[in-house]
């Protein structure tokens, strides 16, 4: 190469390297983080870090996932991330994402990861310590054996996100006093029973260790960024007071519950101000809340952590699927309670069923609302979704057609004796009502459900076309498994669990087999067409 | 008059960079109001009707999609309630769909505009409820078979039957396992010779996304689905399992059935998620790229052009960017006989540069031919470039070009950095007598590498610049 051919150049180059030690330790300098980010990351996270497609993908700008330890960021890049994660966005501070970030550890070199992360962690309002090459090397080594992506909650367990990278109150210390007071005592004359460092920087009674007869005093410093008038709002159960720079700002006096909030104002100048909060609890409920509002603050800043954080109910997106007027709705996504090839049918009138094209049977019956597409029709649509309605009955969970060589033989989940079990599709008739077609061995079966809106049930007419040469022996139809089965008072009628009954009408002299949580119909078939009618009814 | 012309000539920059609008007109086709039309497949029907399916499972028929005035398109809902179809074509009065669980034939038997017959042709592959177990289906091949590529479970595992395989479904519904080695397909189709190609996405055992040739019996590179070799008897299992952290050229020596990617679509540089595979069968109605393959790109919302040639029994060739600016991530494409390209897309779950959640668009050639590299053919000591029009011979010198080459680690990890970088040297160039081809004599071609040719200095005889200067040639074999 050039250098080896020209010795003087080699010496020059050596000199250059020796005089630039930073080059030796930071090869990341050679990589352009912004260019790499644009190339590999911006498709999903957007060039401005706000998440592609108006935040349909997680933003990196001001994301707490990037803050604090570099390990969390490095691990996400190396091994990927999936499952539900909460990332605050401009519009929704609790936005839930459920996507997949593929692992990049195999695709990106260590210097590339350093460059990308240093760009991302220090752009769009993010500010973090630079990552060094060794940080990535160490992380890669430590998790070399890992072959799966991180799950969101798993990653957070290992690398928790500090809820506030800058605690609202700096250097906060709490003192706990044991004693029973009906008015706020002079804490300066008492000795604390315990002292704690409050790393979260929030006024909290979590460290009190008691539910009654105690007092607490917190002391720390507030960082004020703008000169002006500040309002502090205090509420507590029982009494409390707040002092700023040793001046009493406001006070909640005596005994009583939350809802007695008091506000006070004080002029503060840029810099640090001392804050001191006193509190006592006599008996009964307990709690304290403190907020601060001031120049340039969009909304009051909470300085307390006592308010039991109400777990925000995860807003599950809802996309109801309903049958058209006098019509029928179909759904072929993954229906919980049946098999992956389930076909949901919803009749206008609030009767619904799921036919399993894997098991060739009716596995679920339910009433009222048909289905909700919210799970499958948002993001990537992971997982099974149960029917939306009520009175769900799970009739079977095994192949519905099989051979039993004796009445006590086990129902074979693989349909022993049936060489071929093949779903052939469905035709729609009046009001789009379906007829399911399938083959069981050499038998051709049509299976027609019909909703009964008055009696709240479904009548199922099964027609089995048997070739003259192929009358099967010992063929049985599984009507129910998994529910308690009892004979009902009326003939050929059986109770299935607590809410359903079925009446069987078949050209057969052999009664149905009632076994442990199983109802099985022996089929006495003749060449030509054989018909079986099953009337399912909710009780 | 003359002064006017002169003025125009002066105002029009002589060397203005070519833009897509000069050559191709991209238009959005209005969609039925209030509907979520995340288009997953497109079928061209008689009477200029176009059928589309959505990821939610709806089937719509569009009339008027070929008309100049797109504001009058009419949409008819034919059915709701399919299972994520990703492949559809019209055949003898029916639509044949590849749905997630099956290949099925849908028919409107009473001609009322609604599908009333759903015939399951084949449902012999496994699904277990995992959203990533996608099935992409081709149109019918010359024997009437539908080729289906079956994504791995979660794109990593083979937890259901035939995951990681390509299967053919015959008109009788028989399923013929055809190739192992698939990871996460984005589309499947045929080239002009009727050979089947699919796109596979960067991930485990795929250092980069690529366009792959599904030669029956071949192994496509991802060993996860190899557990199913014993479940069939037509194809001999691999003599050796691939080694991790290797190179494809190395593993080809050990595994004769290993089919290297025909054309690597370098990750990041060319795209991030290739999808549909079609070819231009219109004999010039879609511009100068007859018989070449077009590939959809979901993440970058683009259509890319692929030139291939067969060297020593394997396909290889170059990818050159083509169309861009689509409004969502492209999934299906269909090109009609009259040269109208239909493109559908969605970005749900996978982001795209086009920021709309879904789109349906068409592209037509304006009739103006772009100055472009038409073909890039490998030679033992370089390449031959053929252009869509004659070049300016003065612009053809070694300095007008530069080349970089690299490959990817063939590994069980997700993706790969570009490795084994090389810098082939363009020694000399020669222009053909008609000015339309040039020969590049190059030192240092590397078998198995992607060769990135940048043609910065090339000008057409009329002084025009290339529409696209970058070509990425995958040199699986160096011709003798």
């Amino acid at each position: 190469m050039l250098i080896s051919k020209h010795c003087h150049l080699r010496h020059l180059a050596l000199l250059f390297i020796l005089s630039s030690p930073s080059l030796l330790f930071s090869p990341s300098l050679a990589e352009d983080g912004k260019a790499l980010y644009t190339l590999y990351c911006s498709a999903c996270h957007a060039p401005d870090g706000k998440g592609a497609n108006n935040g349909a993908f997680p933003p990196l700008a001001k994301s707490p996932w990037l803050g604090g330890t570099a390990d969390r960021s490095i691990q996400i890049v190396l091994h990927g991330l999936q499952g539900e994660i909460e990332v605050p966005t401009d519009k929704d501070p609790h936005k839930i994402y459920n996507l997949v970030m593929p692992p990049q550890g195999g695709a990106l070199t260590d210097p590339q990861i350093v460059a990308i992360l240093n760009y991302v962690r220090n752009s769009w309002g993010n500010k973090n310590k630079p990552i060094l090459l060794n940080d990535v090397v160490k992380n890669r080594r430590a998790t070399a054996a890992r072959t799966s992506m991180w799950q969101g909650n798993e990653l957070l367990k290992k690398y928790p996100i500090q809820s506030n990278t800058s605690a609202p109150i700096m250097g906060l210390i709490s003192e706990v006093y044991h004693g029973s007071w009906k008015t706020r005592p002079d804490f300066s004359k008492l000795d604390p029973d315990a002292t704690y460092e409050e790393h979260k920087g929030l006024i909290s009674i979590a460290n009190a260790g008691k539910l009654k007869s105690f007092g607490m005093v917190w002391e720390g410093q507030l960082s004020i960024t703008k000169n002006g008038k500040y309002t502090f709002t205090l509420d507590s159960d029982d009494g409390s007071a707040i002092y700023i720079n040793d001046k009493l700002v406001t006070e909640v006096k005596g005994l009583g519950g939350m809802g007695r909030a008091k506000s006070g104002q004080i002029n503060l100048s840029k810099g640090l101000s001392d804050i001191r909060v006193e509190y006592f609890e006599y008996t009964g409920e307990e709690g304290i809340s403190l907020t601060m509002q001031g120049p340039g603050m969009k909304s009051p800043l909470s300085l307390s952590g006592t308010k039991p954080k109400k777990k925000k109910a995860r807003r599950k997106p809802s996309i109801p699927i309903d049958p058209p007027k006098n019509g029928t709705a179909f759904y072929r996504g993954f229906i919980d309670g049946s098999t992956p090839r389930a076909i949901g049918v919803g009749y206008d009138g609030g009767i619904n069923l799921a036919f399993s094209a894997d098991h060739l049977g009716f596995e679920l019956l339910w009433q009222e609302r048909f289905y909700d597409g919210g799970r499958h029709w948002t993001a990537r649509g992971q997982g099974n979704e149960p029917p939306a309605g009520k009175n769900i009955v799970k009739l079977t969970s095994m192949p519905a057609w099989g051979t039993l060589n004796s009445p006590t033989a086990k129902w074979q989940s693989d349909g022993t004796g049936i060489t071929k079990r093949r779903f052939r599709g469905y035709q729609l008739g009046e009001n789009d009502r379906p007829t399911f077609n399938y083959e069981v061995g050499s038998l051709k079966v049509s299976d027609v459900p019909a909703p009964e809106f008055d009696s709240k049930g479904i009548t199922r007419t099964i027609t089995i076309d048997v070739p003259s040469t192929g009358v099967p022996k010992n063929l049985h139809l599984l009507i129910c498994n998994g529910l308690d089965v009892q004979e009902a008072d009326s003939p050929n009628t059986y109770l299935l669990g607590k809410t359903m009954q079925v009446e069987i009408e078949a050209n057969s002299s052999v009664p149905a087999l009632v076994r442990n949580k199983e109802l099985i119909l022996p089929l006495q078939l003749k060449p030509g067409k054989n018909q079986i009618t099953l009337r399912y009814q909710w009780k | 008059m003359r002064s006017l012309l002169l003025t125009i000539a002066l105002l029009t920059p002589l060397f203005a960079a070519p833009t897509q609008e000069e050559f191709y007109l991209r238009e959005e086709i209005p969609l039925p109001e209030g509907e979520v039309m995340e288009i997953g497949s497109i079928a061209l029907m008689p009477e200029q009707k176009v059928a589309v399916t959505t990821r939610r499972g709806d089937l719509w028929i569009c009339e008027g999609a070929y008309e100049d005035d797109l504001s009058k398109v009419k949409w008819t809902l034919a059915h709701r309630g399919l299972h994520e179809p990703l492949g559809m074509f019209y055949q003898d009065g029916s639509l044949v769909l590849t749905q997630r669980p099956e290949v099925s034939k849908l028919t409107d038997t009473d001609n009322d505009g609604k599908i009333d017959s759903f015939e399951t042709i084949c449902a012999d592959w496994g699904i277990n409820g995992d959203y990533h177990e996608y099935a992409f289906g081709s149109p019918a091949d010359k024997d009437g078979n539908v080729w289906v590529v079956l994504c791995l479970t979660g794109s990593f595992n083979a937890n259901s039957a035939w995951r990681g395989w390509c299967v053919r479904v015959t008109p009788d519904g028989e399923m013929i396992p055809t190739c192992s080695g698939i990871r996460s397909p984005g589309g499947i189709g045929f080239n002009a010779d009727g050979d089947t190609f699919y796109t596979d996405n960067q991930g485990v055992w795929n250092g980069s996304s690529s366009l792959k040739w599904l030669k029956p019996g071949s192994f496509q590179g991802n060993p996860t689905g190899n557990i199913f070799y014993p479940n069939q008897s037509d194809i001999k299992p691999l003599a050796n399992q691939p080694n991790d952290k290797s190179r494809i050229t190395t593993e080809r020596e050990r595994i004769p059935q290993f089919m290297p990617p025909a054309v690597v679509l370098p990750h990041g540089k060319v795209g991030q998620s290739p999808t549909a595979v079609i070819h231009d069968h219109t004999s010039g109605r879609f511009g100068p790229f007859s018989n070449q393959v077009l590939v959809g790109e979901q993440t970058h919302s683009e259509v890319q052009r692929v030139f291939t040639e067969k060297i020593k029994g394997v396909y290889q060739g170059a990818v050159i960017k083509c169309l861009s600016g689509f409004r969502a991530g492209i999934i299906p494409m269909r090109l009609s006989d009259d040269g109208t390209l239909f493109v559908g897309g969605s970005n749900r779950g996978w982001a795209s540069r086009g920021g709309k959640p879904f789109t349906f668009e068409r592209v037509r050639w304006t009739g103006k031919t772009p100055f472009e590299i038409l073909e890039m053919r490998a030679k033992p000591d370089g390449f031959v470039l053929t252009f869509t029009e004659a070049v300016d011979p003065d612009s053809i010198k070694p300095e007008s070009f530069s080349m970089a080459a690299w490959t990817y680690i063939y590994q069980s990890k997700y993706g790969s950095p570009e490795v084994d970088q090389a810098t082939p040297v363009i020694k000399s160039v020669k222009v053909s007598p008609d000015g339309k081809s040039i020969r590049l004599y190059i030192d240092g071609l590397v078998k198995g590498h992607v060769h990135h040719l940048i043609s910065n200095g090339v000008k057409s005889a009329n002084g025009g610049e290339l529409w696209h200067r970058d070509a990425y040639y995958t040199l699986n074999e160096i011709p003798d």
Side-chain angles (χ1 to χ4, degrees), chain B residues 135-161:
Chain B
F136 288 84
S138 76
D141 69 8
K142 60 183 191 315
D143 301 319
N145 300 325
V146 177
W147 296 57
V148 182
V149 272
L150 299 168
C151 184
L152 292 173
T153 314
S155 80
F156 288 90
N157 306 301
N159 295 348
S160 313

Side-chain angles (χ1 to χ4, degrees), chain B residues 249 309 311-312 316 376-385 402-407 420-428 439-453 471-480:
Chain B
T249 40
E309 57 181 343
I311 305 288
K312 297 183 183 173
Q316 57 186 45
M376 180 174 180
R377 290 179 186 275
K379 293 288 162 192
D381 53 357
F383 291 96
V384 171
L385 302 181
S402 63
M403 185 167 265
W406 66 85
T407 188
D420 307 344
Q421 277 84 354
T423 310
V425 178
I426 296 155
K427 284 187 309 182
S428 62
R439 180 79 158 80
L440 302 176
Y441 294 91
I442 299 175
D443 261 357
L445 298 180
V446 189
K447 184 182 162 174
H449 273 37
V450 173
H451 289 67
H452 178 196
L453 176 72
Y472 301 83
Y473 189 103
T474 301
L475 194 63
N476 289 322
E477 296 287 348
I478 299 176
D480 294 326

Side-chain angles (χ1 to χ4, degrees), chain A residues 374-452:
Chain A
R375 174 191 292 276
H376 294 146
W377 293 352
T378 54
R380 295 189 174 189
Q382 294 97 321
N384 293 351
E385 175 71 18
K390 292 179 175 165
N391 303 330
I392 302 169
V393 178
K394 186 172 166 63
L395 291 173
T396 56
S397 57
M398 293 168 95
W401 302 78
T403 301
L404 275 188
N405 292 322
S406 80
T408 53
K410 200 169 168 232
W411 187 260
Q412 296 293 324
S413 58
D414 61 357
T416 302
I418 304 301
T419 52
K420 193 174 67 171
R421 202 171 52 210
R422 197 171 173 196
F423 179 60
R424 296 314 306 264
Y426 43 104
Q427 267 78 47
L428 307 189
E430 205 179 328
N431 297 332
D432 285 348
R433 290 185 184 178
T435 296
F436 293 99
N437 306 307
Y438 47 90
E439 293 164 7
V440 177
S442 58
L443 314 181
K444 285 187 164 50
V445 182
S446 84
D447 203 332
V448 188
E452 307 287 355

Side-chain angles (χ1 to χ4, degrees), chain A residues 39-40 43-44 53 57 100 102-103 106-107 149 319 330 332 334 340-341 376-377 379-380 382 422-428, chain B residues 81 83 101-102 116-118 120-121 123 125 129 131 156 268 272 299 347-352 355 411 414-417:
Chain A
L39 192 59
Y40 293 113
C44 288
N53 308 326
F57 293 80
V100 177
M149 289 185 235
I319 308 173
F330 293 85
R332 294 189 69 174
F334 294 126
R341 285 185 169 85
H376 294 146
W377 293 352
R380 295 189 174 189
Q382 294 97 321
R422 197 171 173 196
F423 179 60
R424 296 314 306 264
Y426 43 104
Q427 267 78 47
L428 307 189
Chain B
H83 200 168
E102 64 184 48
D116 49 48
S117 171
F118 302 76
T120 299
I121 307 290
W125 65 79
Y131 77 93
F156 288 90
Q272 270 156 274
T299 311
N347 63 20
R348 171 154 65 80
W350 285 266
S352 65
Q411 61 176 346
Y414 201 96
S416 161

Side-chain angles (χ1 to χ4, degrees), chain A residues 278-347:
Chain A
E278 299 184 359
Y279 164 84
F280 72 96
E281 159 63 11
Y282 180 63
T283 186
E285 300 284 302
E286 62 284 324
I288 182 166
S289 111
L290 176 64
T291 64
M292 163 183 166
Q293 171 71 293
M297 295 168 66
K298 275 186 199 152
S299 54
L301 173 70
S302 175
L303 299 176
S304 57
T306 54
K307 226 197 267 173
K309 240 198 191 161
K310 261 191 199 144
K311 265 255 164 158
K312 230 179 128 173
R314 292 267 157 96
R315 277 175 298 121
K316 196 177 121 195
S318 177
I319 308 173
I321 305 170
D322 296 311
K325 184 90 186 134
N326 295 323
T328 311
F330 293 85
Y331 190 81
R332 294 189 69 174
F334 294 126
I335 301 175
D336 200 46
S338 187
T339 67
R341 285 185 169 85
I343 301 170
V345 181
Y347 301 96

Side-chain angles (χ1 to χ4, degrees), chain B residues 59-120:
Chain B
L59 171 62
W60 290 82
I61 313 291
C62 180
E63 292 169 86
Y66 293 79
E67 300 297 322
D68 286 336
D69 182 1
L70 282 172
S71 69
K72 297 201 171 71
V73 291
K74 186 182 147 213
W75 288 93
T76 307
L77 179 66
H79 185 68
R80 289 193 201 273
L82 303 167
H83 200 168
E84 205 142 10
L86 294 168
M88 173 169 61
F89 63 96
Y90 173 87
Q91 188 178 55
D92 304 332
S94 298
L95 290 166
V96 180
L97 273 68
T98 300
Q99 304 190 60
R100 188 193 283 281
E102 64 184 48
V103 172
S104 24
K105 185 187 276 188
L106 275 57
T107 313
D108 170 12
T109 62
D110 58 3
N111 285 315
D112 69 345
K114 309 262 178 216
I115 301 295
D116 49 48
S117 171
F118 302 76
E119 187 189 341
T120 299

